[in-house]
Amino acid sequence: MSASRSLELALKSLGNEGLFLFSSLDTNNDLYLSPEEFKPIAEKLTGVAPMSEFEEEETPDPSGETLSVVAKFQPLVMETMTKSKDGFLGISHVALSGLRNWTAPAAPMSVMLARQFKAFLPPKNKLNLGDPWWIIPSELNIFTGYLSNNRFYPPPPKGKEIIIHRLLSMFHPRPFVKTRFAPQGAVACIQAISTFYYTVAFRIHAEFQLNEPPDFPFWFSPGQFTGHIILSKDSSHVREFKLFVPNNRSLNVDMEWLYGASESSNMEVDIGYLPQMELESTGPSVPSVIHDENGNVIDSRDPSGEPIQFVFEEITWQQEIPWEEAAQKLEVAMYPFKKVSYLPFTQAFERAKAEKKLVHSILLWGALDDQSCSGRTLRETVLESSPILALLNESFISSWSLVKELEELQSNRENEFYSKLADLHLEKYNFPVEMIICLPNGTVVHHINANYFLDITSMKPEDVESSIFSFSTNFEDPSTATYLQFLKEGLQRAKPYLQT
């Protein structure tokens, strides 16, 4: 039977949505699900989680080295929340009580065993610079759905989750190591290698539950936690550790809270700015028990009562990559749509002018490439699909921007051209996300709102006036087909301008 005939029968049997789901599992496109391909759905249906590729955490030697870690925390700036503009009108004081009362870290300092950081060591097949691996694998995607909002207490952490849970508990007593939304988990890669040490860069997606019964849940989701650790290859010694929430964007935390005790209860959503949330080691890990040359235990203080000072050898790195490169590798592992470069707003227009291309711009409320995002569905579906990635790489310069940042650029009259670019974008913006195609001079040739886009792609093909759905031997889901048409229409409308 021909491939097109098989696809036609599959579409008839399964319908659009069924075939879309089937195709997402059919990784080799042979219209047959092998046991391995069916595994994600089987795990979801049975509730039986796969065995971790990592062994369970062994009990560290209590006589090993210890690492002192300090927490630094500045609370969310309430004035940066959208709801603050009308004085939090209509929002009960109780709903925000957990947020308002969180003004300091739960544990300003903690002493941990160095070997607990073994979780950050690379597996044996990931010893190349910049080759990512999952410390905590993401178990969610657009098809598996999301985890419940109506929860207060995190599940007990297991295996490699334990050290991350303990670290995040220094900020707040209720960290959820696995977020409700994809991509979950923690990813890492080697940034530098020496004879005895690794520098490992990491990125963690986690969130906190700020309320307890009888109040309703309040979720606090920083955009990401990132950082690095320098540790010996046997994990007996940690030279340096740092974890932090990036604060370089004007908004970096998503907040969602319920007004009832069920999944169908009304939910409020807002976003805000967190100035500081970081953990840092006070110095290298040190022996908890000190022995002399004969193996006898000696006092950790010298005769004058001062602590014994340790001298550490300088590490000579044999191979290393820049932090920016490591961070980008982790970002692409979390978000496959970032296989396309998304440039800063003004830089995108400069590049588009130089390369005579259009700008594909996404304007939204929260960051597109972290967990403070209002474009989750967009990035988890169309933006990471192969046809979209190929067309964007070939014909567009891509960018995404926060509405707040373009509003600031719009009011900055020092550069009239940039101000005008921001103005042209904001004219077309409608909440929550606007996808825009424009010329290098900022002229908008096409745009579509995310809500409208999701509405038309959830309709049946026969209910849509224009022929926006296409099914070929390389099955395209309705979202991909629609977004492809949007991009191609933008190219068509821009032709008269680009040819002049």
Side-chain angles (χ1 to χ4, degrees), residues 309-387:
Q309 297 297 310
F310 293 92
V311 178
F312 299 94
E313 81 278 12
E314 188 174 334
I315 301 173
T316 302
W317 298 109
Q318 294 153 345
Q319 302 176 60
E320 58 185 314
I321 57 175
W323 164 256
E324 292 76 17
E325 184 179 340
Q328 199 265 340
K329 298 280 189 185
L330 302 180
E331 188 173 73
V332 172
M334 283 285 193
Y335 299 117
F337 83 91
K338 292 302 291 281
K339 290 173 184 173
V340 166
S341 295
Y342 281 74
L343 301 180
F345 185 74
T346 55
Q347 194 178 325
F349 286 92
E350 291 164 4
R351 178 81 63 84
K353 184 179 179 182
E355 296 186 16
K356 294 184 170 58
K357 288 183 176 180
L358 298 181
V359 174
H360 163 248
S361 179
I362 298 175
L363 183 55
L364 68 174
W365 197 40
L368 189 62
D369 55 11
D370 69 28
Q371 297 301 83
S372 65
C373 172
S374 50
R376 291 181 185 126
T377 306
L378 197 63
R379 71 182 181 208
E380 290 169 25
T381 53
V382 294
L383 291 181
E384 65 176 48
S385 71
S386 298

Coordinates of all heavy atoms in Angstrom, one line a residue, residues 309-387:
Q309 N 43.9 26.6 58.5 CA 43.7 27.1 57.1 C 44.1 26.1 56.1 O 45.2 25.5 56.2 CB 44.4 28.4 56.9 CG 44.0 29.6 57.8 CD 42.6 30.0 57.5 OE1 42.2 30.2 56.4 NE2 41.8 30.0 58.6
F310 N 43.3 25.8 55.1 CA 43.6 24.8 54.1 C 44.1 25.6 52.8 O 43.7 26.6 52.5 CB 42.4 24.0 53.7 CG 42.0 23.1 54.8 CD1 41.0 23.5 55.7 CD2 42.5 21.8 54.9 CE1 40.5 22.6 56.7 CE2 42.1 21.0 56.0 CZ 41.1 21.4 56.8
V311 N 45.1 25.0 52.2 CA 45.6 25.5 50.9 C 45.2 24.6 49.8 O 45.5 23.4 49.9 CB 47.2 25.7 51.0 CG1 47.7 26.2 49.7 CG2 47.6 26.6 52.1
F312 N 44.6 25.1 48.8 CA 44.1 24.3 47.7 C 45.0 24.6 46.4 O 45.3 25.8 46.1 CB 42.7 24.6 47.4 CG 41.8 24.3 48.5 CD1 41.4 25.3 49.5 CD2 41.3 23.0 48.8 CE1 40.6 25.0 50.6 CE2 40.5 22.7 49.8 CZ 40.1 23.7 50.8
E313 N 45.3 23.5 45.7 CA 46.1 23.7 44.5 C 45.3 24.4 43.4 O 44.0 24.3 43.4 CB 46.5 22.3 43.9 CG 45.5 21.6 43.1 CD 44.5 20.8 44.0 OE1 44.5 21.0 45.2 OE2 43.8 20.0 43.4
E314 N 45.9 25.2 42.6 CA 45.3 25.9 41.5 C 44.9 24.9 40.4 O 45.7 24.0 40.1 CB 46.2 27.0 40.9 CG 45.5 27.8 39.9 CD 46.3 29.0 39.4 OE1 47.2 29.4 40.2 OE2 46.1 29.5 38.3
I315 N 43.7 25.0 39.8 CA 43.3 24.0 38.8 C 43.7 24.5 37.4 O 43.4 25.7 37.1 CB 41.7 23.9 38.8 CG1 41.3 23.4 40.2 CG2 41.3 22.9 37.7 CD1 39.8 23.3 40.4
T316 N 44.3 23.7 36.7 CA 44.7 24.0 35.3 C 43.7 23.3 34.4 O 43.7 22.1 34.3 CB 46.2 23.6 35.0 OG1 47.0 24.2 35.9 CG2 46.6 23.9 33.6
W317 N 42.9 24.1 33.7 CA 41.9 23.5 32.8 C 42.6 23.2 31.4 O 43.2 24.0 30.8 CB 40.8 24.5 32.6 CG 40.1 24.9 33.8 CD1 40.1 26.0 34.5 CD2 39.2 24.0 34.6 NE1 39.3 26.0 35.7 CE2 38.8 24.7 35.7 CE3 38.8 22.7 34.5 CZ2 38.0 24.1 36.7 CZ3 38.0 22.1 35.4 CH2 37.6 22.8 36.5
Q318 N 42.3 22.0 31.0 CA 42.9 21.5 29.7 C 41.9 21.8 28.5 O 42.4 22.0 27.4 CB 43.1 20.0 29.8 CG 44.2 19.6 30.8 CD 44.1 18.3 31.4 OE1 43.0 17.6 31.3 NE2 45.1 17.8 32.0
Q319 N 40.6 21.8 28.8 CA 39.6 22.1 27.8 C 38.5 22.9 28.4 O 38.1 22.6 29.6 CB 39.0 20.8 27.2 CG 39.9 19.8 26.6 CD 39.1 18.6 26.2 OE1 38.2 18.6 25.4 NE2 39.4 17.4 26.8
E320 N 38.0 23.9 27.7 CA 36.9 24.7 28.3 C 36.1 25.4 27.2 O 36.7 25.7 26.1 CB 37.3 25.6 29.4 CG 38.3 26.6 29.0 CD 38.8 27.4 30.2 OE1 37.9 27.9 31.0 OE2 40.0 27.6 30.4
I321 N 34.9 25.7 27.4 CA 34.1 26.5 26.5 C 33.5 27.7 27.3 O 33.4 27.6 28.5 CB 32.9 25.7 25.9 CG1 32.0 25.1 27.0 CG2 33.4 24.6 24.9 CD1 30.8 24.4 26.4
P322 N 33.2 28.8 26.7 CA 32.6 29.9 27.4 C 31.3 29.6 28.1 O 30.5 28.7 27.6 CB 32.4 31.0 26.3 CG 33.2 30.5 25.1 CD 33.3 29.0 25.2
W323 N 31.0 30.3 29.1 CA 29.7 30.1 29.8 C 28.5 30.3 28.9 O 27.6 29.6 28.9 CB 29.6 31.1 31.0 CG 28.2 31.3 31.5 CD1 27.4 32.3 31.3 CD2 27.5 30.3 32.3 NE1 26.2 32.1 31.9 CE2 26.2 30.8 32.5 CE3 27.8 29.1 32.8 CZ2 25.2 30.2 33.3 CZ3 26.8 28.4 33.6 CH2 25.6 28.9 33.8
E324 N 28.6 31.3 28.0 CA 27.5 31.6 27.1 C 27.2 30.4 26.2 O 26.0 30.1 25.9 CB 27.8 32.9 26.3 CG 27.9 34.2 27.0 CD 29.2 34.3 27.8 OE1 30.2 33.6 27.5 OE2 29.2 35.2 28.7
E325 N 28.3 29.8 25.8 CA 28.1 28.6 24.9 C 27.4 27.4 25.6 O 26.5 26.8 25.1 CB 29.4 28.2 24.3 CG 29.3 27.0 23.3 CD 30.6 26.6 22.7 OE1 31.6 27.4 22.7 OE2 30.7 25.4 22.2
A326 N 27.9 27.2 26.9 CA 27.3 26.1 27.7 C 25.8 26.4 28.0 O 25.0 25.5 27.9 CB 28.1 26.0 29.0
A327 N 25.5 27.7 28.3 CA 24.1 28.1 28.6 C 23.2 27.9 27.4 O 22.1 27.4 27.6 CB 24.1 29.5 29.1
Q328 N 23.8 28.2 26.2 CA 23.0 28.0 25.0 C 22.7 26.5 24.7 O 21.6 26.2 24.3 CB 23.7 28.6 23.8 CG 22.9 29.0 22.6 CD 22.9 27.9 21.6 OE1 23.8 27.1 21.6 NE2 21.9 27.9 20.7
K329 N 23.7 25.7 25.0 CA 23.5 24.2 24.8 C 22.3 23.7 25.8 O 21.5 22.9 25.4 CB 24.7 23.5 25.1 CG 25.9 23.8 24.2 CD 25.8 23.1 22.9 CE 27.1 23.3 22.1 NZ 27.0 22.7 20.8
L330 N 22.3 24.2 27.0 CA 21.3 23.8 27.9 C 19.9 24.3 27.5 O 18.9 23.7 27.7 CB 21.7 24.3 29.3 CG 23.0 23.9 29.9 CD1 23.2 24.4 31.3 CD2 23.1 22.3 30.0
E331 N 19.9 25.5 27.0 CA 18.7 26.2 26.6 C 18.0 25.4 25.4 O 16.8 25.1 25.4 CB 19.0 27.6 26.1 CG 17.7 28.4 25.8 CD 18.1 29.8 25.5 OE1 18.6 30.1 24.4 OE2 17.8 30.7 26.4
V332 N 18.9 24.9 24.5 CA 18.3 24.2 23.3 C 17.9 22.8 23.8 O 16.9 22.2 23.3 CB 19.4 24.0 22.2 CG1 18.9 23.0 21.1 CG2 19.7 25.4 21.6
A333 N 18.6 22.2 24.8 CA 18.1 20.9 25.3 C 16.7 21.0 26.0 O 15.9 20.2 25.8 CB 19.1 20.4 26.4
M334 N 16.5 22.2 26.7 CA 15.2 22.4 27.3 C 14.1 22.8 26.2 O 13.0 22.4 26.3 CB 15.3 23.5 28.3 CG 15.9 23.1 29.7 SD 14.8 22.1 30.7 CE 15.6 22.2 32.3
Y335 N 14.6 23.6 25.3 CA 13.6 24.2 24.3 C 14.2 24.0 22.9 O 14.9 24.8 22.4 CB 13.5 25.7 24.5 CG 12.9 26.1 25.9 CD1 13.7 26.9 26.8 CD2 11.7 25.8 26.3 CE1 13.2 27.2 28.0 CE2 11.2 26.1 27.5 CZ 11.9 26.9 28.4 OH 11.4 27.2 29.6
P336 N 13.7 22.9 22.2 CA 14.2 22.6 20.9 C 14.0 23.8 19.9 O 14.7 23.9 18.9 CB 13.5 21.4 20.5 CG 13.2 20.7 21.8 CD 12.9 21.8 22.7
F337 N 13.0 24.6 20.2 CA 12.7 25.7 19.2 C 13.9 26.7 19.1 O 14.0 27.5 18.2 CB 11.4 26.5 19.6 CG 11.5 27.5 20.7 CD1 11.8 28.8 20.3 CD2 11.3 27.2 22.0 CE1 11.9 29.8 21.3 CE2 11.4 28.2 23.0 CZ 11.7 29.5 22.6
K338 N 14.8 26.7 20.2 CA 15.9 27.6 20.1 C 17.0 27.1 19.2 O 18.1 27.7 19.2 CB 16.4 27.8 21.6 CG 15.5 28.6 22.5 CD 15.1 29.9 22.0 CE 16.2 31.0 22.0 NZ 16.5 31.6 23.3
K339 N 16.8 26.0 18.4 CA 17.7 25.7 17.4 C 17.8 26.8 16.3 O 18.7 26.9 15.6 CB 17.2 24.4 16.7 CG 17.4 23.1 17.5 CD 16.8 21.9 16.9 CE 16.9 20.7 17.9 NZ 16.1 19.5 17.3
V340 N 16.7 27.6 16.3 CA 16.7 28.9 15.6 C 17.2 30.0 16.5 O 16.8 30.0 17.7 CB 15.3 29.3 15.1 CG1 15.2 30.7 14.6 CG2 14.9 28.3 14.0
S341 N 18.1 30.8 16.1 CA 18.6 31.9 16.9 C 17.6 33.0 17.0 O 17.0 33.5 16.0 CB 19.9 32.5 16.3 OG 20.9 31.6 16.3
Y342 N 17.3 33.4 18.3 CA 16.3 34.5 18.5 C 17.2 35.7 19.1 O 17.7 35.6 20.2 CB 15.3 34.1 19.6 CG 14.2 33.3 18.9 CD1 14.4 32.0 18.6 CD2 12.9 33.8 18.7 CE1 13.4 31.2 18.0 CE2 11.9 33.1 18.1 CZ 12.1 31.8 17.8 OH 11.1 31.0 17.2
L343 N 17.4 36.7 18.2 CA 18.2 37.8 18.6 C 17.5 38.9 19.4 O 16.2 39.0 19.3 CB 18.8 38.5 17.3 CG 19.6 37.6 16.3 CD1 20.0 38.4 15.1 CD2 20.8 36.9 17.0
P344 N 18.2 39.7 20.1 CA 17.6 40.8 20.8 C 16.9 41.7 19.8 O 17.3 41.8 18.6 CB 18.8 41.5 21.5 CG 19.8 40.5 21.7 CD 19.6 39.6 20.5
F345 N 15.8 42.4 20.2 CA 14.9 43.1 19.3 C 15.7 44.0 18.3 O 15.5 43.9 17.1 CB 14.0 44.0 20.2 CG 12.9 44.7 19.4 CD1 11.9 44.0 18.8 CD2 13.0 46.1 19.2 CE1 10.9 44.7 18.1 CE2 12.0 46.8 18.5 CZ 11.0 46.1 17.9
T346 N 16.5 45.0 18.8 CA 17.1 45.9 17.9 C 18.2 45.2 17.0 O 18.3 45.5 15.8 CB 17.8 47.1 18.6 OG1 18.7 46.5 19.6 CG2 16.7 47.9 19.3
Q347 N 18.8 44.2 17.5 CA 19.9 43.5 16.8 C 19.2 42.7 15.6 O 19.8 42.6 14.6 CB 20.6 42.5 17.8 CG 21.9 42.0 17.2 CD 22.6 41.1 18.2 OE1 22.5 41.3 19.4 NE2 23.2 40.0 17.8
A348 N 18.0 42.2 15.9 CA 17.3 41.4 14.8 C 17.1 42.3 13.6 O 17.3 41.8 12.4 CB 16.0 40.9 15.4
F349 N 16.7 43.6 13.8 CA 16.4 44.4 12.6 C 17.7 44.8 11.9 O 17.7 45.0 10.7 CB 15.7 45.7 13.1 CG 14.2 45.4 13.4 CD1 13.8 45.0 14.7 CD2 13.3 45.4 12.4 CE1 12.5 44.7 15.0 CE2 11.9 45.1 12.7 CZ 11.6 44.8 14.0
E350 N 18.8 45.0 12.7 CA 20.1 45.3 12.0 C 20.5 44.1 11.2 O 21.0 44.3 10.0 CB 21.1 45.6 13.1 CG 20.9 46.9 13.8 CD 21.7 47.1 15.1 OE1 22.5 46.2 15.4 OE2 21.5 48.1 15.8
R351 N 20.4 42.9 11.7 CA 20.8 41.7 10.9 C 19.9 41.5 9.7 O 20.3 41.1 8.7 CB 20.7 40.4 11.9 CG 21.0 39.1 11.2 CD 22.5 38.8 11.1 NE 23.1 38.8 12.4 CZ 23.1 37.6 13.1 NH1 22.6 36.5 12.7 NH2 23.8 37.6 14.3
A352 N 18.6 41.7 9.9 CA 17.6 41.6 8.8 C 18.0 42.5 7.6 O 17.9 42.2 6.5 CB 16.2 41.9 9.3
K353 N 18.4 43.8 8.0 CA 18.7 44.7 7.0 C 20.0 44.3 6.2 O 20.1 44.3 5.0 CB 19.0 46.1 7.6 CG 19.3 47.2 6.6 CD 19.5 48.5 7.4 CE 19.9 49.6 6.4 NZ 20.1 50.9 7.0
A354 N 21.0 43.8 7.0 CA 22.2 43.3 6.4 C 22.0 42.1 5.5 O 22.6 42.0 4.4 CB 23.2 43.0 7.5
E355 N 21.1 41.2 5.9 CA 20.9 40.0 5.1 C 19.7 40.0 4.2 O 19.4 39.0 3.5 CB 20.8 38.8 6.1 CG 22.0 38.5 6.9 CD 21.9 37.3 7.8 OE1 21.0 36.4 7.5 OE2 22.7 37.1 8.7
K356 N 19.0 41.2 4.2 CA 17.8 41.4 3.3 C 16.8 40.3 3.6 O 16.3 39.6 2.7 CB 18.2 41.4 1.8 CG 19.1 42.6 1.4 CD 19.4 42.6 -0.1 CE 20.0 43.9 -0.5 NZ 21.3 44.3 0.2
K357 N 16.5 40.1 4.8 CA 15.5 39.1 5.3 C 14.4 39.9 6.0 O 14.5 41.0 6.5 CB 16.1 38.1 6.1 CG 17.0 37.1 5.4 CD 17.5 36.0 6.3 CE 18.3 35.0 5.5 NZ 18.8 33.9 6.4
L358 N 13.3 39.1 6.3 CA 12.2 39.6 7.1 C 12.5 39.3 8.6 O 13.2 38.4 8.9 CB 10.9 39.0 6.7 CG 10.4 39.3 5.3 CD1 9.0 38.6 5.1 CD2 10.2 40.8 5.1
V359 N 11.8 40.0 9.5 CA 11.9 39.8 10.9 C 10.7 39.0 11.3 O 9.6 39.4 11.1 CB 12.1 41.1 11.7 CG1 12.0 40.7 13.2 CG2 13.4 41.8 11.4
H360 N 10.9 37.8 11.9 CA 9.9 37.0 12.6 C 10.0 37.3 14.0 O 10.9 37.0 14.7 CB 10.1 35.6 12.3 CG 9.3 34.6 13.2 ND1 9.9 33.8 14.1 CD2 8.0 34.4 13.3 CE1 9.0 33.1 14.8 NE2 7.9 33.4 14.3
S361 N 9.0 38.1 14.6 CA 9.0 38.6 15.9 C 7.9 38.1 16.7 O 6.7 38.0 16.3 CB 9.0 40.1 15.9 OG 9.1 40.7 17.2
I362 N 8.1 37.7 18.0 CA 7.1 37.3 18.9 C 7.1 38.3 20.1 O 8.1 38.4 20.8 CB 7.3 35.8 19.4 CG1 7.3 34.9 18.2 CG2 6.3 35.4 20.4 CD1 7.6 33.5 18.5
L363 N 6.0 38.9 20.3 CA 5.8 39.9 21.4 C 4.9 39.3 22.4 O 3.8 38.9 22.1 CB 5.2 41.2 20.8 CG 5.1 42.4 21.7 CD1 6.4 42.7 22.4 CD2 4.6 43.6 20.9
L364 N 5.4 39.3 23.6 CA 4.6 38.6 24.7 C 4.8 39.2 26.1 O 5.7 40.0 26.3 CB 4.8 37.1 24.6 CG 6.2 36.5 25.0 CD1 6.1 35.0 25.0 CD2 7.3 36.9 24.1
W365 N 4.0 38.7 27.0 CA 3.9 39.2 28.3 C 5.1 38.7 29.2 O 5.7 39.4 30.0 CB 2.6 38.7 28.9 CG 2.1 39.3 30.1 CD1 2.2 40.6 30.4 CD2 1.5 38.7 31.2 NE1 1.6 40.9 31.6 CE2 1.1 39.7 32.1 CE3 1.1 37.4 31.5 CZ2 0.4 39.4 33.3 CZ3 0.4 37.1 32.7 CH2 0.1 38.1 33.6
G366 N 5.4 37.4 29.0 CA 6.6 36.8 29.7 C 7.5 36.1 28.8 O 7.2 35.9 27.6
A367 N 8.7 35.8 29.3 CA 9.8 35.3 28.4 C 9.4 34.0 27.7 O 8.8 33.2 28.3 CB 11.0 35.1 29.3
L368 N 9.8 33.9 26.4 CA 9.5 32.8 25.6 C 10.4 31.6 26.0 O 10.0 30.4 25.8 CB 9.6 33.1 24.1 CG 9.1 32.1 23.1 CD1 7.6 31.9 23.2 CD2 9.5 32.5 21.7
D369 N 11.6 31.8 26.5 CA 12.5 30.8 26.7 C 12.8 30.5 28.1 O 13.9 30.1 28.5 CB 13.8 31.0 25.9 CG 14.5 32.3 26.2 OD1 14.0 33.0 27.2 OD2 15.4 32.7 25.5
D370 N 11.9 30.7 29.0 CA 12.0 30.2 30.4 C 10.6 30.0 30.9 O 9.6 30.1 30.2 CB 12.8 31.2 31.3 CG 12.2 32.5 31.6 OD1 11.0 32.6 31.6 OD2 12.9 33.5 31.8
Q371 N 10.5 29.7 32.2 CA 9.2 29.2 32.8 C 8.3 30.4 33.2 O 7.3 30.1 33.8 CB 9.5 28.3 34.0 CG 10.2 27.0 33.6 CD 9.4 26.2 32.5 OE1 9.5 26.4 31.3 NE2 8.7 25.2 33.0
S372 N 8.7 31.6 33.0 CA 7.9 32.8 33.3 C 7.1 33.1 32.0 O 6.8 34.3 31.8 CB 8.7 34.0 33.8 OG 9.5 34.4 32.7
C373 N 6.7 32.1 31.2 CA 6.3 32.4 29.9 C 4.8 32.4 29.7 O 4.1 31.6 30.3 CB 6.9 31.3 29.0 SG 6.3 31.3 27.3
S374 N 4.3 33.2 28.7 CA 2.9 33.2 28.4 C 2.7 32.5 27.0 O 1.7 32.5 26.4 CB 2.3 34.6 28.3 OG 3.2 35.4 27.6
G375 N 3.8 31.9 26.5 CA 3.7 31.3 25.1 C 4.1 29.8 25.2 O 4.7 29.3 24.2
R376 N 3.7 29.1 26.2 CA 4.0 27.7 26.4 C 3.6 26.9 25.2 O 4.4 26.1 24.6 CB 3.4 27.1 27.7 CG 4.0 27.7 29.0 CD 3.3 27.0 30.1 NE 3.7 27.6 31.4 CZ 2.9 28.1 32.3 NH1 1.6 28.1 32.1 NH2 3.4 28.6 33.4
T377 N 2.3 27.0 24.8 CA 1.7 26.1 23.8 C 2.5 26.4 22.5 O 2.8 25.5 21.7 CB 0.2 26.4 23.6 OG1 -0.4 26.3 24.9 CG2 -0.4 25.4 22.6
L378 N 2.8 27.6 22.2 CA 3.5 28.0 21.0 C 4.8 27.3 20.8 O 5.2 26.7 19.8 CB 3.6 29.5 20.9 CG 3.9 30.2 19.6 CD1 2.8 29.9 18.6 CD2 4.1 31.7 19.8
R379 N 5.6 27.4 21.9 CA 7.0 26.9 21.8 C 7.0 25.4 21.9 O 7.9 24.8 21.4 CB 7.8 27.5 23.0 CG 7.5 27.0 24.3 CD 8.3 27.6 25.4 NE 7.9 27.0 26.7 CZ 8.0 27.6 27.9 NH1 8.5 28.9 27.9 NH2 7.7 27.0 29.0
E380 N 6.0 24.8 22.5 CA 6.0 23.3 22.6 C 5.4 22.6 21.4 O 5.5 21.4 21.3 CB 5.2 22.9 23.8 CG 5.9 23.3 25.1 CD 5.0 23.1 26.3 OE1 4.0 22.2 26.2 OE2 5.2 23.7 27.4
T381 N 4.9 23.4 20.4 CA 4.3 22.8 19.2 C 4.9 23.3 18.0 O 6.0 22.8 17.6 CB 2.7 23.0 19.2 OG1 2.5 24.4 19.4 CG2 2.1 22.3 20.3
V382 N 4.4 24.4 17.4 CA 4.8 24.8 16.1 C 6.2 25.3 16.0 O 7.0 25.0 15.1 CB 3.9 25.9 15.5 CG1 2.5 25.4 15.3 CG2 3.8 27.1 16.5
L383 N 6.7 26.0 17.0 CA 8.0 26.6 16.9 C 9.2 25.6 16.9 O 10.3 25.9 16.5 CB 8.2 27.7 18.0 CG 7.4 28.9 17.9 CD1 7.7 29.9 19.1 CD2 7.6 29.7 16.6
E384 N 8.9 24.4 17.4 CA 9.9 23.4 17.4 C 9.7 22.3 16.4 O 10.5 21.4 16.3 CB 10.1 22.7 18.8 CG 8.9 21.9 19.3 CD 9.2 21.2 20.6 OE1 9.6 21.9 21.5 OE2 8.9 20.0 20.7
S385 N 8.7 22.5 15.5 CA 8.5 21.5 14.4 C 9.5 21.7 13.3 O 9.9 22.9 13.0 CB 7.1 21.6 13.9 OG 6.9 22.8 13.2
S386 N 9.9 20.7 12.7 CA 11.0 20.7 11.7 C 10.7 21.7 10.5 O 11.5 22.4 10.1 CB 11.2 19.3 11.1 OG 11.7 18.5 12.2
P387 N 9.5 21.6 9.9 CA 9.2 22.5 8.8 C 9.3 24.0 9.2 O 9.8 24.8 8.4 CB 7.7 22.2 8.4 CG 7.5 20.9 9.0 CD 8.3 20.8 10.2

